[in-house]
């Protein structure tokens, strides 16, 4: 494992009136015509975030391969979605058997309508999740919004050598998620 993460950030807007729908369709057309101004602005913002994470973790990091796309989705109501995807190199602390995820997100905040999903490859078992996630599966955890994470960030440790059990140890526990 090398600690590189694939990120997807989605912005959703409910298309519940003509003005909102027209505005979304205008942005979608602009993105289709020339996505570069959108990806450039997004990349600049993410590079500032990554620089702060580098300072906090001591790991050299980078944002690469930023893309943007739009679509309409029916989620019980119709929504317009603007989706950015990118690669964040060295996001997680990693060695041959273990990924420690989250130290790059110190102070991360979710508003009431957002969620953070952390997923990892098959073959890894959960060692720790701190704070406890709202949802947990074999290869991912989800925290639902309105939540502020500590300066340590949300922490997930997974390992290819750990038994298939999970704990929610916090700082000072058997595995406090530090690299």
């Amino acid at each position: 494992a090398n600690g590189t993460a694939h990120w997807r950030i989605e912005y959703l807007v409910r298309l519940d009136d003509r003005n909102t729908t027209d505005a979304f369709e205008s942005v979608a057309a602009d993105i289709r015509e020339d996505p570069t101004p959108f990806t450039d602005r997004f990349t600049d913002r993410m590079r500032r975030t990554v620089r702060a994470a580098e300072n906090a973790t001591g790991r050299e990091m980078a944002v690469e391969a930023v893309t943007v796309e739009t679509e309409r989705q029916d989620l019980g109501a119709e929504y317009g979605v603007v989706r950015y995807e990118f690669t964040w190199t060295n996001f997680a602390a990693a060695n041959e058997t273990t990924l420690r995820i989250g130290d790059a997100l110190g102070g991360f905040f979710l508003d009431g309508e957002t969620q953070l999903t952390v997923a990892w490859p098959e073959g890894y078992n959960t060692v720790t999740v701190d704070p406890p996630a709202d949802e947990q599966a074999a290869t991912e955890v989800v925290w639902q919004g309105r939540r502020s994470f500590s300066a340590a960030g949300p922490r997930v440790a997974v390992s290819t050598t750990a038994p298939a059990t999970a704990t929610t140890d916090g700082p000072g526990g058997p595995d406090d998620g530090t690299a």
Side-chain angles (χ1 to χ4, degrees):
N2 67 10
T4 295
H6 177 80
W7 277 74
R8 179 176 59 231
I9 298 176
E10 295 181 337
Y11 300 96
L12 283 73
V13 60
R14 189 171 179 168
L15 304 177
D16 56 1
D17 64 47
R18 184 84 247 142
N19 288 338
T20 305
T21 302
D22 289 348
F24 173 75
E25 290 302 332
S26 177
V27 168
D30 291 346
I31 289 171
R32 279 190 305 274
E33 184 177 310
D34 185 10
T36 302
F38 295 88
T39 57
D40 285 352
R41 280 192 302 270
F42 183 84
T43 300
D44 288 343
R45 286 192 310 268
M46 287 310 305
R47 282 188 177 139
R48 287 191 297 273
T49 300
V50 166
R51 276 194 300 275
E54 283 179 320
N55 290 336
T57 65
R59 289 192 305 279
E60 187 174 319
M61 301 178 178
V63 172
E64 301 171 338
V66 176
T67 62
V68 62
E69 65 182 2
T70 62
E71 70 174 344
R72 290 170 79 141
Q73 284 186 353
D74 184 353
L75 303 170
E78 188 162 25
Y79 284 82
V81 180
V82 178
R83 179 179 304 111
Y84 290 91
E85 296 190 48
F86 61 97
T87 300
W88 184 334
T89 60
N90 290 321
F91 171 73
N95 63 33
E96 298 77 30
T97 62
T98 305
L99 294 171
R100 296 185 189 278
I101 304 159
D103 63 342
L105 297 176
F108 193 72
F109 173 79
L110 297 175
D111 69 25
E113 299 194 11
T114 59
Q115 71 177 31
L116 172 63
T117 302
V118 174
W120 51 88
E122 292 281 335
Y124 285 83
N125 293 317
T126 307
V127 177
T128 59
V129 176
D130 183 48
D134 298 305
E135 299 173 31
Q136 186 165 341
T139 60
E140 73 177 26
V141 292
V142 179
W143 290 278
Q144 298 291 338
R146 193 137 185 97
R147 177 186 301 254
S148 290
F149 294 98
S150 72
R155 297 293 182 116
V156 176
V158 296
S159 177
T160 58
T161 60
T165 61
T167 65
T168 55
D169 296 324
D175 183 349
D176 68 2
T178 57

